[in-house]
Amino acid sequence: MPTLAVIGSQWGDEGKGKITDYLAEDADLVVRFQGGANAGHTIKVGNEVIALHLLPSGIIREGVLSVIGNGLVVDLEQLKNELAMLRKTGRSGEMLRISDRANVVLPYHRLLDGAEERARGNKGVGTTGRGIGPCYADKVARAGIRMGDLLDEVYLWERLDTIFPQKERLAQSLGIKLDLEKASLLRTLLEYGNLYRPYITDTSVLVNRAIQEGKKVMFEGAQGTMLDIDHGTYPYVTSSNCTAAGICNGAGVPPSAVEEVIGVTKAYTTRVGAGPFVTELHDAMGLHLQNVGGEFGTTTGRPRRCGWLDMVVVRHAIRLSGMTSLAVTKLDVLSDLPTLKVCVAYEIDGQIVEDFPASVFRLARAKPIYEELEGWTAASSKPADIIRKGYAALPKNMRKYLDFITTSSGIPIGIVSFGKGREETIDLRRRTWSR
Ligand code: IMP
């Protein structure tokens, strides 16, 4: 049963897009299971750079079936724009399938996202403003519209009849105007229903059948473990389960369906939006990582906060998702620094803490405990040499850094990424997945 999951082990933006694209070469199906257009997966193919938000990364590859699972929230307009962008690159997008059970992001979800953020004042989450939280809230409150509903006018009207007045009252209480007629919303949704009709299906049946037939199925995580609604830095999180556990609900597969779990780990740490970040650097080093790493959000363009690698975070992620190996990305960004620091534990109120605490209030008092490692120079790591010779051609201190991560995490490093391109990747895994 060759199945594989790619999960972010930090706060998102770990380079999952690149790793998923790299692994998708061998996949028959790539399945997204949570999140929505808040994600930003950047993929570099030759000189082409493609930024995806909602579409699974597999859509870039010819012949790979790309699935938007039931656990996603689908922004209909964003999906249309992304498909149009894809067609401009010469790709058809015809291999897309969308779950009939995925919830739809409605125009008022974006308005409510903004209004709720404003109402939180200086305690804002710093959301992407894509309506994600309000849409998931409606799903759980049984007030959502699902993709399959767009194909049935009578039922859709009935649903809007129940939901629409609730939303009008909520908007009023938040002091915003929906500027939306129920009848026009119905028309728009039916038009989108027609547009996406060829893609909408029961994707749980599709994915399970593929697994039974021995096809190679990859589950593509979005965001990262620390943004998980249950296990992240609550309330500074997104509204879905970003760990491997989210795969079962969000793709409609049993727990036994997930064989291998690759945790994508950036060689340092970044986060966008508000919330605690113990190893954050507020100095020139933080700015250096931001500039060299091009740490600006793919979805919102916001600068990402930067800091040293935090193994308390990574170990938390490994435990939650049962990660079997790590893919360490953006190692090149750390080149030419004399010393590197890696956080191995926190000190909180005089106590050494090795497990990630639940309370952001407690986390605000956490001080990182660092181990220092020697850096390496860019000159000692010529990409062409590394591509030719592999791991042994990596600079000695870079290998030491990777060894340190392996020992501290307790799991092997399977993939090393030292640049944006597909070829700037070393694959050290047992070849369980590749053909
Ligand atoms: P939301 O998902 O838009 O509700 O935003 C909630 C939090 O998750 C905010 O701090 C966002 O910046 C963060 N976030 C959401 N999606 C991503 C992502 O793909 N990468 C990094 N951060 C994200």
Side-chain angles (χ1 to χ4, degrees):
M1 191 179 61
T3 60
L4 177 82
V6 177
I7 305 287
S9 74
Q10 293 150 321
W11 276 276
D13 308 317
E14 298 94 350
K16 290 183 299 299
K18 171 182 164 168
I19 299 299
T20 319
D21 172 63
Y22 170 76
L23 294 165
E25 186 180 10
D26 298 311
D28 298 303
L29 270 79
V30 175
V31 183
R32 267 196 65 183
F33 56 91
Q34 47 76 224
N38 48 349
H41 291 171
T42 310
I43 299 163
K44 187 164 178 269
V45 190
N47 290 329
E48 225 183 347
V49 179
I50 300 173
L52 298 174
H53 298 282
L54 193 51
L55 286 169
S57 300
I59 205 84
I60 305 289
R61 301 268 185 180
E62 209 51 51
V64 176
L65 206 60
S66 290
V67 177
I68 291 184
N70 60 281
L72 272 87
V73 289
V74 180
D75 184 319
L76 302 167
E77 192 185 341
Q78 171 68 27
L79 183 58
K80 188 169 128 189
N81 294 342
E82 236 167 272
L83 282 167
M85 176 277 292
L86 197 72
R87 285 186 192 119
K88 274 196 200 143
T89 71
R91 297 168 175 89
S92 74
E94 287 309 303
M95 295 291 275
L96 176 67
R97 299 292 177 271
I98 307 170
S99 169
D100 48 9
R101 290 170 172 83
N103 272 245
V104 175
V105 179
L106 294 161
Y108 49 77
H109 289 136
R110 274 184 185 245
L111 293 174
L112 293 171
D113 199 354
E116 285 170 6
E117 271 292 270
R118 284 193 295 280
R120 284 190 278 260
N122 66 3
K123 292 277 184 283
V125 175
T127 73
T128 57
R130 299 269 170 126
I132 306 296
C135 185
Y136 275 114
D138 271 356
K139 169 182 171 173
V140 178
R142 293 157 290 201
I145 301 284
R146 309 205 295 183
M147 288 303 291
D149 303 344
L150 308 187
L151 307 180
D152 186 334
E153 181 169 352
V154 177
Y155 181 60
L156 187 56
W157 184 246
E158 210 179 273
R159 288 294 290 153
L160 288 179
D161 244 359
T162 319
I163 297 165
F164 207 72
Q166 295 173 18
K167 293 301 141 195
E168 281 179 319
R169 280 196 297 276
L170 177 62
Q172 217 173 18
S173 73
L174 285 164
I176 51 169
K177 226 173 134 12
L178 289 187
D179 262 339
L180 198 65
E181 294 279 321
K182 198 167 61 176
S184 75
L185 178 59
L186 176 81
R187 272 197 307 280
T188 308
L189 292 178
L190 289 172
E191 276 167 26
Y192 276 118
N194 269 333
L195 183 67
Y196 298 131
R197 190 179 294 273
Y199 308 119
I200 299 174
T201 188
D202 186 334
T203 52
S204 165
V205 171
L206 183 89
V207 175
N208 280 283
R209 192 175 295 146
I211 293 172
Q212 272 152 24
E213 287 169 358
K215 300 232 168 87
K216 298 196 175 209
V217 179
M218 175 172 5
F219 299 101
E220 176 183 15
Q223 288 81 50
T225 302
M226 302 315 290
L227 290 171
D228 181 278
I229 185 76
D230 284 283
H231 299 287
T233 42
Y234 190 89
Y236 301 98
V237 290
T238 190
S239 302
S240 60
N241 284 114
C242 320
T243 58
I247 297 171
C248 299
N249 275 331
V253 295
S256 55
V258 188
E259 233 183 12
E260 193 180 339
V261 183
I262 297 188
V264 186
T265 303
K266 200 184 279 189
Y268 49 98
T269 313
T270 60
R271 104 168 274 182
V272 263
F277 179 176
V278 178
T279 61
E280 182 168 13
L281 292 163
H282 297 281
D283 55 10
M285 181 60 75
L287 278 178
H288 173 84
L289 294 175
Q290 192 180 76
N291 289 328
V292 179
E295 297 295 353
F296 298 90
T298 314
T299 304
T300 57
R302 288 179 290 178
R304 296 179 187 141
R305 300 156 62 194
C306 297
W308 296 118
L309 179 63
D310 184 343
M311 291 309 294
V312 182
V313 164
V314 176
R315 286 195 304 262
H316 182 66
I318 291 171
R319 187 187 72 249
L320 290 166
S321 288
M323 289 169 181
T324 48
S325 66
L326 296 179
V328 181
T329 61
K330 298 191 95 162
L331 272 161
D332 50 310
V333 175
L334 295 184
S335 294
D336 297 324
L337 297 175
T339 320
L340 304 168
K341 290 186 188 178
V342 179
C343 172
V344 289
Y346 301 154
E347 190 204 308
I348 307 178
D349 303 332
Q351 286 193 320
I352 305 294
V353 174
E354 291 187 340
D355 297 318
F356 198 83
S359 152
V360 290
F361 194 57
R362 236 181 123 220
L363 268 170
R365 300 195 300 278
K367 294 190 195 87
I369 299 175
Y370 286 120
E371 294 260 351
E372 287 198 5
L373 288 99
E374 280 174 47
W376 57 85
T377 58
S380 58
S381 60
K382 289 204 187 70
D385 277 352
I386 300 171
I387 290 163
R388 201 158 31 88
K389 294 191 201 149
Y391 192 76
L394 293 176
K396 186 173 91 227
N397 285 344
M398 192 193 278
R399 279 183 277 140
K400 280 193 180 169
Y401 190 75
L402 291 168
D403 288 346
F404 186 87
I405 296 174
T406 307
T407 308
S408 173
S409 67
I411 61 170
I413 291 174
I415 297 176
V416 177
S417 164
F418 54 92
K420 285 187 185 145
R422 280 178 179 169
E423 69 290 352
E424 290 165 297
T425 313
I426 303 173
D427 195 340
L428 303 163
R429 295 167 312 132
R430 283 182 299 116
R431 312 293 287 183
T432 48
W433 165 262
S434 308
R435 288 174 211 280

